[in-house]
Amino acid sequence: MSDRDARFVRAVGKVGNPETALPDYLERTYWWAYLRPASIRIFDHKVIVSAILWGQYRRLSDIVLTRIAGGNRVLQLACVYGDLSQRLARQVGPEGALDIVDVAPIQIANILRKLVGMDWVRASVADATTTRSGSFDCVLSFFLLHEMPDPLKRRVVDAALAAVAPGGRAMFVDYACPLRWHPLRPVMAAVFALLEPYATAMWHTPIAALASHPQEFSWTRETRFAGLFQVVIAERFNV
Ligand SMILES: C[S@@+](CC[C@H](N)C(=O)[O-])C[C@H]1O[C@@H](n2cnc3c(N)ncnc32)[C@H](O)[C@@H]1O
């Protein structure tokens, strides 16, 4: 292990939460993407994330950011490679708050490293399926659902919705079913079959259908890039 990795592993030890176990699916399916220092060295670059999302990372991030105002309280469910969290933090500003949770201590250590000096940001090791009080103006799930087994997708959607304050919204940005003629349709089907076993469900299951109490929200859904990506927004009725 290099000195740099050893320092990083020590930092990870400090943010670890012994009560939060790594889910089996994460270790089994995505160890190479998220759980090793080399994963972060290789993947945590805007250009890489952008390539993985076929050049749409900035565009999808912008859609999220235009719906967040200065002073908002935002909950981000799971870390994201690239600069989305830094942009979210700048957007809410010191008048607001950004809470980031991730089940992997190594990801929390990494995000803290990227957000040094922004003391209105909190990042902690926790499972996205944990229910939190409904005090957030915005709850964001950015490409998390497709990486989870189906029963956990439901739990994350419910947990995200439960955390939304009256008048606030949950935003789910993820894969969707590309149009039939989409040249990347067979490519994505192959990628999912090979590397992302829980992702194909996003082609067939509407996100709103994963919610236990969808009637408490007004739902909108837009797709991008000929259907390959979806942005679903659930706005809690202000009653
Ligand atoms: C948001 S997803 C995918 C993001 C996107 N592919 C990217 O560009 O980084 C990746 C993160 O989800 C986290 N994660 C997976 N399952 C989780 C869970 N149950 N609770 C919290 N975080 C979870 C992983 O540790 C990882 O950091």
Side-chain angles (χ1 to χ4, degrees):
M1 192 186 282
S2 70
D3 281 358
R4 194 166 55 153
D5 282 357
R7 276 200 306 278
F8 191 37
V9 168
R10 279 199 296 279
V12 172
K14 287 191 189 132
V15 299
N17 177 352
E19 283 166 25
T20 307
L22 276 182
D24 284 352
Y25 67 85
L26 191 59
E27 182 66 56
R28 209 177 37 242
T29 316
Y30 288 110
W31 62 268
W32 52 274
Y34 302 121
L35 301 182
R36 304 289 183 269
S39 323
I40 288 171
R41 272 204 307 276
I42 294 166
F43 292 111
D44 195 5
H45 305 282
K46 262 191 293 181
V47 58
I48 302 286
V49 190
S50 190
I52 291 170
L53 296 179
W54 302 104
Q56 302 299 302
Y57 177 63
R58 179 87 190 181
R59 196 170 167 216
L60 293 167
S61 304
D62 285 350
I63 295 175
V64 168
L65 287 157
T66 56
R67 282 155 173 99
I68 290 173
N72 277 179
R73 292 151 299 163
V74 174
L75 171 63
Q76 182 188 331
L77 295 175
C79 295
V80 173
Y81 288 145
D83 63 353
L84 178 61
S85 299
Q86 292 98 311
R87 295 182 73 202
L88 281 171
R90 282 197 296 271
Q91 186 86 354
V92 300
E95 305 302 315
L98 172 63
D99 271 33
I100 306 172
V101 295
D102 197 289
V103 77
I106 192 171
Q107 289 292 333
I108 291 297
N110 185 49
I111 206 82
L112 285 170
R113 204 165 57 171
K114 295 199 278 183
L115 295 164
V116 169
M118 295 173 144
D119 56 14
W120 59 98
V121 180
R122 238 178 21 179
S124 42
V125 177
D127 201 295
T129 57
T130 307
T131 305
R132 294 165 181 83
S133 70
S135 57
F136 292 93
D137 301 304
C138 178
V139 179
L140 174 64
S141 160
F142 195 87
F143 288 92
L144 173 63
L145 291 177
H146 77 279
E147 296 188 348
M148 311 185 87
D150 293 354
L152 296 183
K153 289 182 175 66
R154 290 180 186 281
R155 288 181 51 193
V156 167
V157 169
D158 277 344
L161 296 176
V164 175
R169 62 185 67 99
M171 288 194 252
F172 303 92
V173 183
D174 224 300
Y175 290 108
C177 187
L179 296 176
R180 289 222 162 270
W181 53 261
H182 201 307
L184 292 175
R185 193 178 157 114
V187 179
M188 291 314 298
V191 170
F192 292 168
L194 207 63
L195 294 173
E196 309 222 62
Y198 315 113
T200 320
M202 303 306 297
W203 284 18
H204 311 297
T205 313
I207 290 175
L210 298 171
S212 301
H213 304 290
Q215 72 285 358
E216 293 172 8
F217 296 82
S218 144
W219 294 82
T220 56
R221 177 177 185 273
E222 348 170 357
T223 56
R224 287 286 187 274
F225 206 51
L228 182 57
F229 303 112
Q230 61 183 319
V231 179
V232 171
I233 300 182
E235 204 153 334
R236 188 185 279 286
F237 293 118
N238 202 351
V239 284

